[in-house]
Amino acid sequence: MTSGDRAAADASLIGVSLITVTYNSADTLRRCWGGAQRPVDLEWIVVDNGSTDGSSDVARRLGAKVIEVGANLGFSAANNLGLRHANGQFIGFVNPDVVVDFSTLEELIGVARARGGLVAPQLLNTDGSEQPNGRGYPLLVAKIRNRLHGGDASYLLRSSDGAPRPVCWVMGAALLGERAAFEAIGGWDSRFFIYYEDKDICLRAWAAGIPVFLVPAARWVHGWARETTSLRWSAWRREIPSMLKFYTRYPEFLRGKRASRRAHPEIEAAVFGTDRAAVEESR
């Protein structure tokens, strides 16, 4: 990229804010945010949830605008705080363990504006393999099956042709869209301290007429390590209350696919309509 091209790319990212929530994330910030050169006009806000490892100082040295909370508000509440302080009209919520490919932000912005929706890049594991961050209906049985075996093509959604792919929800490690879209759905629900808030915000977006897309042309590395794949009670202690809140709010996902289709016709048509029609035609 020439200096002129770089200047043009920087200019096009005026009005973009990325928001990162940290909690004892100093080493992760150094590893994932310390390498790439961010566009000069892109605003990066770090909301620190009471870290004790110097995360705030690391973020400042890396060029972030830091909001120190002094306590752990939880992921959703901290995201909302960052949104209130952000100046951009296009917002990205990006975890500290994500390596952003800034050259693909324009692609994501273009899809979000053209489709009027929320977008996510295709996340990659550190070995370059695709991480299944686009998901189907969050059925409890599908979640359990995925934890045990994986490989469910109706739950782990990918784009087959490289085009933006509508999905029910995306993992909250990277979610982007117009400020107006996030404000229209009331931001993140702070009643979810951590876990299930990503499913909820995407479902509320769909209900408000704001679709959710996985954009495979944007590929960002995510050093994902889910705590609840282990037997540590500290992690499950946080997930179980969120799980109960979620399935109380969306009981159709306990009842199965038919109930989910009836409850979410807009998702069924956009995400699964073509696939289901093809299946029926082949019978």
Side-chain angles (χ1 to χ4, degrees):
M1 180 182 289
T2 67
S3 59
D5 292 335
R6 188 175 296 108
D10 288 349
S12 70
L13 293 177
I14 293 173
V16 177
S17 298
L18 299 185
I19 297 166
T20 299
V21 175
T22 54
Y23 179 71
N24 291 333
S25 308
D27 290 340
T28 304
L29 288 173
R30 292 188 192 98
R31 184 176 69 255
C32 297
W33 292 81
Q37 184 66 42
R38 285 190 307 281
V40 295
D41 292 310
L42 183 146
E43 179 182 54
W44 181 33
I45 296 175
V46 167
V47 182
D48 186 68
N49 266 340
S51 295
T52 58
D53 69 342
S55 292
S56 294
D57 293 335
V58 171
R60 286 192 188 91
R61 287 197 295 272
L62 293 174
K65 172 184 175 182
V66 177
I67 301 169
E68 293 189 70
V69 178
N72 193 347
L73 299 181
F75 181 70
S76 297
N79 272 334
N80 289 336
L81 180 59
L83 179 60
R84 290 196 295 272
H85 283 80
N87 295 306
Q89 293 306 306
F90 189 85
I91 306 294
F93 297 95
V94 186
N95 277 12
D97 58 356
V98 171
V99 180
V100 177
D101 181 350
F102 296 103
S103 69
T104 63
L105 279 172
E106 288 184 77
E107 176 77 22
L108 291 161
I109 292 169
V111 173
R113 289 177 173 164
R115 308 294 182 98
L118 304 183
V119 296
Q122 173 63 63
L123 296 181
L124 305 176
N125 295 306
T126 54
D127 63 2
S129 60
E130 288 188 353
Q131 194 174 100
N133 59 307
R135 300 295 177 95
Y137 289 127
L139 303 168
L140 181 58
V141 66
K143 287 177 58 61
I144 294 171
R145 188 167 55 240
N146 181 60
R147 293 279 182 92
L148 295 175
H149 306 293
D152 183 345
S154 67
Y155 183 64
L156 307 178
L157 303 182
R158 292 180 168 88
S159 171
S160 60
D161 58 3
R165 191 338 175 167
V167 294
C168 298
W169 63 281
V170 294
M171 286 165 45
L175 180 64
L176 305 91
E178 296 282 2
R179 170 190 285 275
F182 286 112
E183 291 179 342
I185 58 177
W188 301 77
D189 188 337
S190 60
R191 284 171 289 188
F192 293 96
F193 184 85
I194 190 171
Y195 301 127
Y196 290 83
E197 72 291 318
D198 43 12
K199 303 172 184 62
D200 172 73
I201 195 171
C202 291
L203 290 168
R204 286 189 288 112
W206 277 107
I210 300 169
V212 181
F213 286 90
L214 181 69
V215 183
R219 302 172 74 80
W220 298 1
V221 175
H222 177 213
W224 185 34
R226 187 177 180 88
E227 289 182 306
T228 49
T229 55
S230 71
L231 296 177
R232 291 192 313 173
W233 168 244
S234 60
W236 283 101
R237 181 173 54 84
R238 292 190 291 270
E239 174 151 2
I240 289 172
S242 291
M243 181 187 297
L244 293 174
K245 290 184 183 79
F246 181 81
Y247 288 112
T248 299
R249 179 175 295 179
Y250 303 102
E252 63 271 21
F253 298 127
L254 293 174
R255 298 177 186 139
K257 287 184 179 179
R258 288 186 180 179
S260 301
R261 293 169 191 168
R262 288 194 298 269
H264 302 278
E266 69 289 346
I267 293 177
E268 180 64 21
V271 178
F272 297 111
T274 302
D275 294 340
R276 300 232 196 271
V279 169
E280 293 298 327
E281 188 175 315
S282 66
R283 288 178 176 174

Coordinates of all heavy atoms in Angstrom, one line a residue, residues 104-160:
T104 N -9.6 -4.7 6.4 CA -10.9 -5.3 6.1 C -12.1 -4.5 6.7 O -13.2 -4.9 6.5 CB -11.0 -6.7 6.5 OG1 -10.9 -6.8 7.9 CG2 -9.9 -7.6 5.9
L105 N -11.8 -3.4 7.4 CA -12.9 -2.7 8.1 C -13.8 -2.1 7.0 O -15.0 -2.0 7.2 CB -12.3 -1.6 9.0 CG -11.8 -2.1 10.4 CD1 -11.1 -1.0 11.1 CD2 -13.0 -2.6 11.2
E106 N -13.2 -1.6 5.9 CA -14.1 -1.0 4.9 C -15.1 -2.0 4.3 O -16.2 -1.7 4.0 CB -13.2 -0.4 3.8 CG -12.5 0.9 4.2 CD -11.7 1.5 3.1 OE1 -12.4 2.1 2.2 OE2 -10.5 1.3 3.0
E107 N -14.6 -3.3 4.2 CA -15.5 -4.3 3.7 C -16.6 -4.5 4.7 O -17.8 -4.7 4.3 CB -14.7 -5.6 3.6 CG -15.5 -6.8 3.2 CD -15.9 -6.9 1.7 OE1 -15.2 -6.2 0.9 OE2 -16.9 -7.5 1.4
L108 N -16.3 -4.6 6.0 CA -17.4 -4.8 7.0 C -18.3 -3.6 7.0 O -19.6 -3.8 7.1 CB -16.7 -5.0 8.3 CG -16.0 -6.3 8.5 CD1 -15.0 -6.2 9.7 CD2 -16.9 -7.5 8.7
I109 N -17.8 -2.4 6.9 CA -18.7 -1.2 6.9 C -19.6 -1.2 5.7 O -20.8 -1.0 5.8 CB -17.8 0.1 6.9 CG1 -17.1 0.2 8.3 CG2 -18.7 1.3 6.7 CD1 -16.0 1.3 8.3
G110 N -19.0 -1.6 4.6 CA -19.8 -1.7 3.3 C -21.0 -2.6 3.4 O -22.1 -2.3 3.0
V111 N -20.7 -3.8 4.0 CA -21.8 -4.8 4.1 C -22.8 -4.4 5.1 O -24.0 -4.5 4.8 CB -21.2 -6.2 4.5 CG1 -22.3 -7.2 4.8 CG2 -20.3 -6.7 3.4
A112 N -22.4 -3.8 6.2 CA -23.3 -3.3 7.2 C -24.3 -2.3 6.7 O -25.5 -2.3 6.9 CB -22.6 -2.8 8.5
R113 N -23.7 -1.4 5.9 CA -24.5 -0.3 5.4 C -25.4 -0.7 4.2 O -26.6 -0.3 4.1 CB -23.6 0.9 4.9 CG -23.0 1.6 6.2 CD -22.0 2.7 5.8 NE -21.6 3.4 7.0 CZ -20.6 4.2 7.1 NH1 -19.8 4.4 6.0 NH2 -20.3 4.8 8.3
A114 N -24.9 -1.6 3.4 CA -25.7 -2.1 2.3 C -26.8 -3.0 2.7 O -27.9 -2.9 2.1 CB -24.8 -2.8 1.3
R115 N -26.6 -3.8 3.7 CA -27.6 -4.7 4.2 C -28.4 -4.2 5.4 O -29.4 -4.9 5.8 CB -26.9 -6.1 4.6 CG -26.0 -6.7 3.6 CD -26.7 -7.1 2.3 NE -25.8 -7.8 1.4 CZ -25.6 -9.1 1.2 NH1 -26.3 -9.9 2.0 NH2 -24.8 -9.5 0.3
G116 N -28.0 -3.1 5.9 CA -28.7 -2.5 7.1 C -28.6 -3.4 8.3 O -29.6 -3.5 9.1
G117 N -27.5 -4.0 8.5 CA -27.4 -5.0 9.6 C -26.2 -4.9 10.5 O -25.3 -4.0 10.3
L118 N -26.0 -5.8 11.4 CA -24.8 -6.0 12.2 C -24.0 -7.0 11.4 O -24.5 -7.9 10.7 CB -25.2 -6.5 13.6 CG -26.1 -5.7 14.4 CD1 -26.3 -6.3 15.8 CD2 -25.7 -4.2 14.5
V119 N -22.6 -6.9 11.6 CA -21.7 -7.8 10.9 C -20.6 -8.3 11.8 O -20.3 -7.7 12.8 CB -21.1 -7.1 9.7 CG1 -22.2 -6.7 8.6 CG2 -20.3 -5.8 10.1
A120 N -20.0 -9.4 11.4 CA -18.9 -10.0 12.1 C -17.9 -10.5 11.0 O -18.4 -11.1 10.0 CB -19.3 -11.1 13.0
P121 N -16.6 -10.4 11.3 CA -15.7 -11.0 10.4 C -15.7 -12.5 10.6 O -16.2 -13.0 11.6 CB -14.3 -10.5 10.9 CG -14.5 -10.2 12.3 CD -16.0 -9.7 12.4
Q122 N -15.1 -13.3 9.7 CA -14.9 -14.7 9.9 C -13.7 -14.8 10.9 O -12.6 -14.4 10.5 CB -14.6 -15.5 8.6 CG -14.2 -16.9 8.8 CD -15.3 -17.8 9.4 OE1 -16.3 -17.9 8.9 NE2 -15.0 -18.3 10.6
L123 N -13.9 -15.4 12.0 CA -12.8 -15.5 13.0 C -12.0 -16.8 12.6 O -12.5 -17.8 12.1 CB -13.3 -15.6 14.4 CG -14.1 -14.3 14.9 CD1 -14.5 -14.5 16.4 CD2 -13.2 -13.1 14.8
L124 N -10.7 -16.7 12.9 CA -9.8 -17.8 12.7 C -9.1 -18.2 13.9 O -8.9 -17.4 14.8 CB -8.7 -17.3 11.7 CG -9.2 -16.8 10.3 CD1 -8.0 -16.3 9.5 CD2 -10.0 -17.8 9.5
N125 N -8.8 -19.5 14.1 CA -8.0 -19.9 15.1 C -6.5 -19.5 14.9 O -6.2 -19.1 13.8 CB -8.1 -21.5 15.3 CG -9.4 -21.9 15.7 OD1 -10.0 -21.5 16.7 ND2 -10.0 -22.8 14.9
T126 N -5.7 -19.6 15.9 CA -4.3 -19.2 15.7 C -3.5 -20.0 14.7 O -2.5 -19.6 14.1 CB -3.6 -19.2 17.0 OG1 -3.7 -20.5 17.6 CG2 -4.2 -18.2 18.0
D127 N -4.1 -21.2 14.3 CA -3.4 -22.0 13.3 C -3.9 -21.7 11.9 O -3.6 -22.4 10.9 CB -3.6 -23.5 13.6 CG -5.0 -24.0 13.6 OD1 -5.9 -23.2 13.3 OD2 -5.2 -25.2 13.8
G128 N -4.8 -20.7 11.8 CA -5.4 -20.3 10.5 C -6.7 -21.0 10.1 O -7.3 -20.6 9.1
S129 N -7.1 -22.0 10.8 CA -8.3 -22.7 10.5 C -9.5 -21.8 11.0 O -9.4 -21.0 11.8 CB -8.4 -24.0 11.3 OG -8.3 -23.9 12.7
E130 N -10.7 -22.0 10.3 CA -11.8 -21.2 10.6 C -12.4 -21.5 11.9 O -12.6 -22.7 12.3 CB -12.9 -21.3 9.5 CG -12.5 -20.7 8.2 CD -13.6 -20.7 7.2 OE1 -14.7 -21.3 7.5 OE2 -13.5 -20.1 6.1
Q131 N -12.8 -20.5 12.7 CA -13.4 -20.7 14.0 C -14.9 -20.4 13.7 O -15.3 -19.4 13.1 CB -12.9 -19.6 14.9 CG -13.2 -19.8 16.4 CD -12.4 -18.8 17.2 OE1 -13.0 -17.8 17.6 NE2 -11.2 -19.0 17.5
P132 N -15.8 -21.3 14.2 CA -17.2 -21.2 13.8 C -17.9 -20.2 14.6 O -18.7 -20.5 15.6 CB -17.7 -22.6 14.1 CG -16.8 -23.1 15.2 CD -15.5 -22.6 14.9
N133 N -17.7 -18.9 14.3 CA -18.3 -17.8 15.1 C -19.7 -17.5 14.6 O -20.5 -16.8 15.2 CB -17.5 -16.6 15.1 CG -17.1 -16.0 13.8 OD1 -16.6 -16.7 12.9 ND2 -17.4 -14.7 13.6
G134 N -20.1 -17.9 13.4 CA -21.5 -17.7 12.9 C -22.3 -18.9 13.3 O -21.9 -20.1 13.1
R135 N -23.5 -18.7 13.9 CA -24.3 -19.8 14.5 C -25.7 -19.8 14.1 O -26.3 -18.8 13.7 CB -24.2 -19.7 16.0 CG -22.8 -19.7 16.6 CD -22.1 -21.1 16.4 NE -20.8 -21.1 16.9 CZ -20.4 -21.6 18.1 NH1 -21.3 -22.0 18.9 NH2 -19.1 -21.6 18.5
G136 N -26.3 -21.0 14.2 CA -27.7 -21.2 13.9 C -28.5 -21.0 15.2 O -28.1 -20.4 16.2
Y137 N -29.7 -21.5 15.2 CA -30.6 -21.3 16.4 C -29.9 -21.8 17.7 O -29.3 -23.0 17.7 CB -31.9 -22.2 16.3 CG -32.9 -21.6 15.3 CD1 -33.4 -22.4 14.2 CD2 -33.3 -20.3 15.3 CE1 -34.3 -22.0 13.3 CE2 -34.2 -19.8 14.4 CZ -34.7 -20.6 13.4 OH -35.6 -20.2 12.5
P138 N -29.9 -21.0 18.8 CA -29.2 -21.5 20.0 C -30.0 -22.4 20.8 O -30.3 -22.2 22.0 CB -29.0 -20.1 20.7 CG -30.1 -19.3 20.3 CD -30.4 -19.7 18.8
L139 N -30.4 -23.6 20.2 CA -31.1 -24.6 20.9 C -30.2 -25.2 22.0 O -29.0 -25.4 21.7 CB -31.5 -25.7 19.9 CG -32.3 -25.3 18.7 CD1 -32.3 -26.5 17.7 CD2 -33.7 -24.9 19.1
L140 N -30.8 -25.5 23.1 CA -30.0 -26.0 24.2 C -29.4 -27.4 23.8 O -28.2 -27.6 24.0 CB -30.9 -26.2 25.4 CG -30.1 -26.8 26.7 CD1 -28.9 -25.9 27.0 CD2 -31.1 -26.9 27.8
V141 N -30.2 -28.2 23.1 CA -29.7 -29.5 22.6 C -28.6 -29.3 21.6 O -27.6 -30.1 21.6 CB -30.8 -30.3 22.1 CG1 -31.4 -29.7 20.8 CG2 -30.4 -31.8 21.8
A142 N -28.6 -28.3 20.8 CA -27.6 -28.0 19.8 C -26.3 -27.6 20.5 O -25.2 -28.0 20.1 CB -28.0 -27.0 18.8
K143 N -26.4 -26.8 21.5 CA -25.3 -26.3 22.3 C -24.6 -27.5 23.0 O -23.3 -27.6 22.9 CB -25.7 -25.3 23.3 CG -26.0 -23.9 22.8 CD -26.5 -23.0 23.8 CE -25.4 -22.8 24.9 NZ -24.2 -22.2 24.4
I144 N -25.4 -28.4 23.6 CA -24.8 -29.5 24.3 C -24.1 -30.5 23.3 O -23.0 -30.9 23.5 CB -25.9 -30.3 25.1 CG1 -26.4 -29.4 26.2 CG2 -25.3 -31.6 25.6 CD1 -27.6 -30.0 26.9
R145 N -24.8 -30.7 22.2 CA -24.2 -31.6 21.1 C -22.9 -31.0 20.6 O -21.9 -31.7 20.4 CB -25.2 -31.8 20.0 CG -24.8 -32.8 19.0 CD -26.0 -33.2 18.1 NE -26.6 -32.0 17.5 CZ -27.9 -31.7 17.6 NH1 -28.7 -32.3 18.4 NH2 -28.4 -30.6 17.0
N146 N -22.9 -29.7 20.4 CA -21.7 -29.0 19.9 C -20.5 -29.1 20.9 O -19.4 -29.4 20.5 CB -22.0 -27.6 19.6 CG -20.8 -26.9 19.0 OD1 -20.2 -27.2 18.0 ND2 -20.3 -25.8 19.7
R147 N -20.8 -28.9 22.2 CA -19.8 -29.1 23.2 C -19.2 -30.5 23.2 O -18.0 -30.7 23.4 CB -20.3 -28.7 24.6 CG -20.8 -27.3 24.8 CD -19.6 -26.4 25.1 NE -20.1 -25.0 25.3 CZ -20.4 -24.5 26.5 NH1 -20.3 -25.3 27.6 NH2 -20.8 -23.3 26.6
L148 N -20.1 -31.5 23.0 CA -19.6 -32.8 23.1 C -18.9 -33.3 21.8 O -17.9 -34.0 21.8 CB -20.8 -33.8 23.4 CG -21.4 -33.6 24.8 CD1 -22.7 -34.4 24.9 CD2 -20.4 -33.9 25.9
H149 N -19.5 -32.9 20.6 CA -19.1 -33.5 19.4 C -18.7 -32.5 18.3 O -17.8 -32.7 17.5 CB -20.1 -34.4 18.8 CG -20.6 -35.5 19.7 ND1 -19.8 -36.5 20.2 CD2 -21.8 -35.7 20.3 CE1 -20.5 -37.3 21.0 NE2 -21.7 -36.8 21.1
G150 N -19.4 -31.4 18.2 CA -19.2 -30.4 17.1 C -19.7 -30.9 15.8 O -20.3 -32.0 15.7
G151 N -19.4 -30.1 14.8 CA -19.7 -30.6 13.4 C -21.1 -30.5 12.9 O -21.5 -31.0 11.9
D152 N -22.0 -29.8 13.7 CA -23.4 -29.7 13.3 C -23.5 -28.5 12.3 O -23.4 -27.4 12.7 CB -24.3 -29.4 14.5 CG -25.8 -29.3 14.2 OD1 -26.1 -29.2 13.0 OD2 -26.6 -29.4 15.2
A153 N -23.8 -28.8 11.0 CA -23.8 -27.8 10.0 C -25.0 -26.8 10.1 O -24.9 -25.8 9.5 CB -23.8 -28.5 8.6
S154 N -26.0 -27.2 10.8 CA -27.1 -26.3 11.0 C -26.9 -25.4 12.2 O -27.7 -24.4 12.4 CB -28.4 -27.1 11.2 OG -28.4 -27.8 12.4
Y155 N -25.9 -25.6 12.9 CA -25.6 -24.8 14.1 C -24.3 -24.0 13.9 O -24.2 -22.8 14.2 CB -25.4 -25.7 15.4 CG -25.1 -24.9 16.6 CD1 -26.1 -24.0 17.1 CD2 -24.0 -25.1 17.3 CE1 -25.9 -23.3 18.3 CE2 -23.7 -24.4 18.5 CZ -24.7 -23.4 19.0 OH -24.4 -22.7 20.1
L156 N -23.3 -24.6 13.3 CA -22.0 -23.9 13.0 C -22.1 -23.5 11.5 O -21.8 -24.3 10.6 CB -20.8 -24.9 13.2 CG -20.8 -25.5 14.6 CD1 -19.6 -26.5 14.7 CD2 -20.7 -24.5 15.7
L157 N -22.5 -22.2 11.3 CA -22.8 -21.8 10.0 C -21.5 -21.1 9.3 O -20.8 -20.3 9.9 CB -23.9 -20.7 10.0 CG -25.2 -21.2 10.7 CD1 -26.3 -20.1 10.6 CD2 -25.7 -22.5 10.0
R158 N -21.3 -21.5 8.1 CA -20.2 -20.9 7.3 C -20.8 -20.4 5.9 O -21.8 -20.9 5.5 CB -19.1 -21.9 7.1 CG -18.4 -22.2 8.4 CD -17.3 -23.3 8.1 NE -16.4 -23.4 9.2 CZ -16.5 -24.2 10.2 NH1 -17.6 -25.0 10.3 NH2 -15.7 -24.3 11.2
S159 N -20.1 -19.6 5.3 CA -20.4 -19.2 3.9 C -19.8 -20.2 2.9 O -18.6 -20.4 3.0 CB -19.9 -17.8 3.6 OG -20.1 -17.5 2.2
S160 N -20.6 -20.7 2.0 CA -20.1 -21.7 1.1 C -19.5 -21.1 -0.2 O -18.8 -21.7 -0.9 CB -21.3 -22.6 0.6 OG -22.3 -21.9 0.0

